[in-house]
Amino acid sequence: MRDRYRHELERLGPRQEELDRLYDMIEGGTEMKQTKRLSRRAAAILVCAVLTITAAAAAAVPAVWEGLLEQLGLFAPYAQTIDGAVCRDQGIEVRVLSALSDDLEARFYLSVRDVEGDRLNEYLNLRGQLKADAIPKAWEEDGPWVRVTTAPASSFKLLSYDPETRTALFSTSVRYAEEEPGQGARLSLTGMTTREMQVYASVSCAGVTGRTLDSLPVGEGDRVVFRPDSISNSPYTDAVLPDRRVVLAPEQNPMPLEGTEEMWVSSMGFAGDGCFHIRLGFSEGIGAALNESGESLLYSDLLLEGKDDGEKYTFQATLVPGGMDILYPLIVPEDLELLRAGQARVYGTCTRPGTELEGEWSAEFQLEHHRSVTLDWAGELAGRQVQQVTVSPLSVTITSADQGGFSRVPLYAVRKDGSTVAAEPGSGRYSNRAFGTGSGEPVWEAYNTWRFEEPVDLEELACLTLLDETIPVEQG
């Protein structure tokens, strides 16, 4: 099996170091962060899946297949290879490569390649959406009513970029919630840009002193671009702003921001208005991205143990020459001890020099789903009444009569050979079904989900465990 795998992959032309990594994956190496070796049957399935995906990806985009397989990992045998979903405009080729889907969520992988120039890079962002058909469970699958769920442009995640082949690998996902997945899906992109970048950076406040730093009056060209009036837990109002309107003078105690080289702390400390400020410096060409209303998409907060969330998130951002001044009107010198033990974070979207492309990239394709099975069990579990449990090779869902008590609890699948697979809690909801009916007694219903860390063959599944209690697997 190993010789066949090596021969087929070498025929497709990947680099030797990439082959070695995949050999380790199949033979139970540590690169996949697995604690158990694959069975021979599972390894054989993985070989077939790897060969199928590799052949499709290598034929289309020679550099993207390794990134795709690395992302799929042990889920590769359960992924669908998408054929023919390719489109080209403005010299940019977009191809849907693969999908991994059950009736809870579908995750898609697509490549974007510049076939005419060198206009893309590791800052590439896509504008558009991916839609997948979803059918309300109250209707038959072949009924007349079809709903569509969408993944907005902000959910396209850049996984990797290969400068040699000018190819980017993206992922995006659609959640079906409590609807049934349909069979069709459509990708529609209207543009892409390398003029934006995501920032998540931090700096320790340990160096802040109680002295007042040099300050400047707010200038005519300084522009307030963020006031968190709309944040529900923010006590921000004009009344909390200091009487003096100042910004910190630049470069008084410069220090790096951990997580980015494109901006830094120019000055940080208490200004002449008696409040805490952070003045950021931006590299040439870098700026805070603004939305259509002119509000900053670059944000800040403080991690302070002795302050409530409203005080940590209450700030006002002002664009100043070469950067941004961030005012925290509720943080004053009396908070120095707490401040010095804390941390400031800067996160969001910045603008940068780059390429802007508009066009139309669209493709339609059919989806295959790993359907969940409903277990032939219901009853009391950890003091809660469970109404229904469903399991797919990828996920578990539980509907129960409570207020979401399972929402943060890990779940485990136990195979017939005694080995286990962990499942991390996903999203869910709970509601009072009696709300608005006039009934004085609430009727709670919760819907919780879990995602397996590695796929589970349902034929090999013995039971599920949750809160040290057992859910027998007898499929209805």
Side-chain angles (χ1 to χ4, degrees):
M1 182 179 64
R2 177 186 174 102
D3 291 341
R4 178 192 170 200
Y5 176 74
R6 181 187 293 274
H7 173 74
E8 290 297 326
L9 287 183
E10 287 175 346
R11 183 175 62 82
L12 292 169
R15 297 186 295 272
Q16 183 60 47
E17 58 267 28
E18 296 165 349
L19 288 174
D20 292 339
R21 181 183 302 179
L22 291 173
Y23 299 150
D24 286 341
M25 286 168 53
I26 284 185
E27 296 194 339
T30 59
E31 296 248 355
M32 292 304 297
K33 299 180 180 178
Q34 300 298 323
T35 59
K36 297 176 282 295
R37 297 173 67 87
L38 291 174
S39 68
R40 187 171 183 83
R41 175 175 177 271
I45 295 174
L46 179 55
V47 167
C48 295
V50 166
L51 292 176
T52 301
I53 295 172
T54 299
V61 213
V64 80
W65 67 275
E66 183 195 7
L68 176 59
L69 287 175
E70 185 174 343
Q71 290 294 322
L72 290 171
L74 293 178
F75 289 92
Y78 293 84
Q80 172 192 0
T81 299
I82 307 296
D83 294 320
V86 58
C87 49
R88 185 179 293 190
D89 192 12
Q90 311 295 313
I92 304 294
E93 178 188 271
V94 177
R95 182 183 297 263
V96 182
L97 298 172
S98 182
L100 182 65
S101 177
D102 62 3
D103 42 16
L104 178 63
E105 180 183 34
R107 180 164 296 277
F108 306 89
Y109 298 89
L110 56 147
S111 64
V112 181
R113 180 166 65 114
D114 191 340
V115 296
E116 294 184 358
D118 193 11
R119 295 165 288 177
L120 310 181
N121 58 33
E122 67 273 19
Y123 297 108
L124 183 62
N125 279 282
L126 306 181
R127 292 195 300 270
Q129 58 187 1
L130 191 149
K131 296 181 178 180
D133 294 343
I135 303 166
K137 288 185 177 180
W139 300 89
E140 295 295 331
E141 188 160 335
D142 59 353
W145 298 97
V146 176
R147 291 181 187 171
V148 173
T149 61
T150 63
S154 61
S155 67
F156 287 102
K157 180 181 180 181
L158 179 64
L159 302 174
S160 64
Y161 178 74
D162 181 67
E164 292 184 9
T165 57
R166 306 182 297 277
T167 304
L169 177 65
F170 282 87
S171 70
T172 189
S173 61
V174 171
R175 288 189 60 83
Y176 296 109
E178 294 173 77
E179 299 172 313
E180 294 285 352
Q183 308 216 333
R186 291 159 296 284
L187 173 70
S188 177
L189 301 180
T190 59
M192 54 189 69
T193 181
T194 60
R195 293 181 182 174
E196 295 179 355
M197 67 178 187
Q198 300 302 309
V199 173
Y200 189 90
S202 61
V203 64
S204 169
C205 297
V208 176
T209 68
R211 72 182 182 90
T212 301
L213 300 183
D214 293 339
S215 306
L216 302 172
V218 175
E220 292 184 2
D222 297 344
R223 176 183 171 192
V224 175
V225 291
F226 188 76
R227 296 158 48 100
D229 309 66
S230 60
I231 297 178
S232 59
N233 65 345
S234 172
Y236 184 103
T237 64
D238 285 338
V240 306
L241 292 175
D243 294 333
R244 293 182 61 192
R245 302 301 170 91
V246 302
V247 296
L248 283 178
E251 300 303 309
Q252 297 184 72
N253 51 357
M255 61 190 76
L257 271 170
E258 184 178 350
T260 180
E261 297 180 356
E262 302 292 350
M263 61 182 64
W264 64 95
V265 173
S266 176
S267 300
M268 180 169 65
F270 293 100
D273 57 8
C275 300
F276 180 62
H277 287 241
I278 300 173
R279 179 165 179 148
L280 301 177
F282 294 161
S283 299
E284 184 176 356
I286 301 299
L290 306 178
N291 63 18
E292 295 179 355
S293 301
E295 296 177 330
S296 173
L297 299 177
L298 185 66
Y299 310 106
S300 180
D301 61 37
L302 298 173
L303 299 178
L304 305 178
E305 289 297 328
K307 292 289 183 180
D308 64 32
D309 286 344
E311 292 170 300
K312 296 174 184 179
Y313 289 96
T314 296
F315 70 93
Q316 177 173 284
T318 302
L319 292 182
V320 294
M324 173 185 283
D325 182 272
I326 302 170
L327 156 67
Y328 284 92
L330 299 176
I331 308 299
V332 294
E334 287 76 9
D335 300 310
L336 179 60
E337 185 177 347
L338 292 175
L339 187 61
R340 295 185 65 179
Q343 189 179 68
R345 298 187 300 186
V346 178
Y347 54 94
T349 307
C350 288
T351 58
R352 61 176 304 279
T355 300
E356 186 83 23
L357 292 171
E358 295 184 359
E360 183 178 347
W361 296 266
S362 59
E364 296 187 5
F365 52 97
Q366 295 294 298
L367 274 180
E368 300 171 0
H369 306 277
H370 296 284
R371 299 288 182 174
S372 294
V373 297
T374 300
L375 301 187
D376 189 17
W377 178 87
E380 187 174 306
L381 184 71
R384 304 171 181 89
Q385 189 66 32
V386 173
Q387 299 155 339
Q388 180 176 280
V389 181
T390 69
V391 186
S392 84
L394 314 180
S395 67
V396 176
T397 69
I398 293 181
T399 303
S400 57
D402 74 297
Q403 299 181 50
F406 297 134
S407 62
R408 298 183 183 274
V409 182
L411 178 146
Y412 297 88
V414 181
R415 298 189 180 103
K416 293 176 181 177
D417 64 3
S419 61
T420 62
V421 178
E424 289 300 315
S427 62
R429 55 90 184 151
Y430 71 93
S431 60
N432 177 12
R433 296 179 59 187
F435 181 78
T437 64
S439 172
E441 292 294 325
V443 180
W444 295 107
E445 181 181 77
Y447 175 81
N448 296 118
T449 67
W450 290 261
R451 277 289 182 192
F452 287 123
E453 292 182 349
E454 62 180 74
V456 173
D457 186 340
L458 299 187
E459 294 182 0
E460 299 177 359
L461 185 59
C463 64
L464 305 173
T465 63
L466 183 67
L467 293 172
D468 296 324
E469 297 196 27
T470 298
I471 301 173
V473 173
E474 296 179 7
Q475 300 173 14

